[in-house]
Amino acid sequence: MFSLWKKKRSADKGGSRKPPAKANEQGTGELRRPEDFKCEIIACLLSDVGCARELNEDSGKYVQPGDPELLSAKGSLLLVCDGMGGHSAGEVASSMAVDVITRVYYDDLDDAQAALTKAFEKANREIYEASTKDESRKGMGTTGTALVLRNGRAFAAHVGDSRIYLIRNEQIYVMTQDHSEVMEMVKRGLLTLEEARHHPDKNVILRALGSHPEVEVSTWDAPFPLRENDLFLLCSDGLYDLVEDDEIRRLTISADPRPACESLIALAKERGGHDNITVGIVKVLGESDAVSKPVPMTRELEAAI
Ligand SMILES: [Mn+2]
């Protein structure tokens, strides 16, 4: 049986939103092999406590290895985790997840997708064990949503209700399916996506890292070929609860990753910011931009807590 996670949230916001477009749409016209597409990426990751909470229980990290061999083998990683649990346990769970996933992913010599899944499973076990050893951390858990860009392809791992969006050719696609009770009802035809958005149980999630000794990690069926100007956005529910998909699309394409992250967070706060808000954006630049740049130093960016 699934255990149900009730996430602390205040009253719902009104308003409507369109159902997301079909995920995993790749479009046409990709003539080169993706591994021949030597793209450069720029990224930003920001996290904000919001307007109602005392603590920021979200955590996130962006890692771009400076070592060309490691970059080619493992690529760049963007990760968002939204922790849950009493006292400061949610904070502990999400920051543990970020640390364990990053370390295990880059240390593992296995195939990159397998390494990412393993890293999630390891984080699950470590958080679960920590929660059983300390009464104050009992029941803690976290979402985990990771995107890796490597040699012209993207892949992902996902547990919970943080999300990955893709913006390509000015269209926005939701690339993950929330592991939530309302999403199950949508799949069974009991709710529309719009009804799910306002459902009283929309904050009940069915999977979390750390809630059980084992976890099922969702991944994409195949690596996703990148195209120049693709924009990926990862976020916690503190953003998409208050900012519609079309607003996310418009603000993300209207500026570079940093100002775009800032304006998305500002908009969520303007609308009440009832939850912590974490947003990470990666932008895929073209080859001409990439060749003019030297090999980067390792860049690590941890979302501010
Ligand atoms: Mn949240």
Side-chain angles (χ1 to χ4, degrees):
M1 278 299 289
F2 290 116
S3 67
L4 302 182
W5 288 76
K6 192 84 180 173
K7 304 206 314 183
K8 291 174 291 179
R9 279 183 202 164
S10 57
D12 296 349
K13 168 198 160 275
S16 64
R17 91 171 183 177
K18 290 180 203 154
K22 189 169 148 264
N24 294 324
E25 179 136 331
Q26 295 181 20
T28 54
E30 179 63 70
L31 298 174
R32 286 173 303 188
R33 289 184 306 161
E35 58 270 34
D36 294 335
F37 178 33
K38 301 293 180 213
C39 57
E40 175 77 17
I41 59 176
I42 51 171
C44 180
L45 173 73
L46 295 178
S47 188
D48 195 286
V49 69
C51 308
R53 302 280 186 87
E54 272 175 29
L55 294 172
N56 190 346
E57 298 189 316
D58 286 0
S59 297
K61 195 164 188 170
Y62 171 67
V63 182
Q64 183 178 351
D67 171 7
E69 264 179 52
L70 187 60
L71 184 64
S72 170
K74 308 305 290 240
S76 301
L77 169 74
L78 182 62
L79 175 62
V80 168
C81 298
D82 176 352
M84 292 149 270
H87 308 290
S88 62
E91 231 180 316
V92 173
S94 66
S95 63
M96 270 182 82
V98 164
D99 292 346
V100 174
I101 290 167
T102 309
R103 174 170 46 80
V104 174
Y105 175 69
Y106 282 104
D107 284 353
D108 196 297
L109 300 173
D110 209 342
D111 155 71
Q113 176 72 71
L116 188 61
T117 303
K118 248 192 259 176
F120 268 57
E121 289 166 349
K122 177 86 172 140
N124 178 69
R125 270 194 306 280
E126 289 202 12
I127 296 164
Y128 178 76
E129 276 163 24
S131 78
T132 58
K133 282 181 190 142
D134 182 341
E135 189 59 30
S136 71
R137 293 176 182 175
K138 198 169 167 230
M140 71 176 173
T142 181
T143 72
T145 299
L147 175 77
V148 170
L149 302 187
R150 173 181 167 264
N151 296 341
R153 289 186 161 97
F155 52 93
H158 165 65
V159 170
D161 70 351
S162 300
R163 288 185 181 170
I164 301 176
Y165 290 88
L166 166 69
I167 298 146
R168 170 177 284 183
N169 296 334
E170 308 211 343
Q171 299 287 315
I172 187 162
Y173 306 96
V174 186
M175 303 292 281
T176 46
Q177 201 165 56
D178 302 343
H179 299 134
S180 63
E181 190 152 86
V182 289
M183 200 53 82
E184 283 303 308
M185 291 194 265
V186 169
K187 280 197 261 175
R188 280 186 258 132
L190 302 173
L191 287 182
T192 64
L193 275 171
E194 188 53 36
E195 286 165 346
R197 192 168 161 79
H198 307 293
H199 195 279
D201 289 336
K202 72 183 173 69
N203 48 359
V204 177
I205 68 169
L206 300 175
R207 282 191 224 171
L209 296 173
S211 59
H212 291 282
E214 305 291 333
V215 69
E216 190 189 337
V217 181
S218 293
T219 58
W220 295 337
D221 293 341
F224 184 85
L226 298 177
R227 291 223 218 132
E228 192 175 333
N229 296 324
D230 277 347
L231 284 156
F232 287 93
L233 180 143
L234 275 71
C235 64
S236 58
D237 59 346
L239 181 75
Y240 70 72
D241 264 0
L242 296 171
V243 181
E244 312 260 337
D245 288 1
D246 193 55
E247 294 170 319
I248 292 177
R249 182 191 71 82
R250 275 192 290 109
L251 288 171
T252 305
I253 58 182
S254 69
D256 278 341
R258 189 180 179 94
C261 285
E262 286 169 349
S263 38
L264 285 161
I265 287 174
L267 184 55
K269 290 176 77 173
E270 220 176 277
R271 293 177 178 168
H274 60 72
D275 194 3
N276 308 141
I277 310 147
T278 302
V279 187
I281 296 175
V282 282
K283 181 173 188 174
V284 178
L285 302 176
E287 277 175 304
S288 53
D289 299 315
V291 286
S292 61
K293 289 185 181 164
V295 175
M297 302 285 286
T298 295
R299 291 178 204 158
E300 285 199 15
L301 213 148
E302 219 150 326
I305 298 298

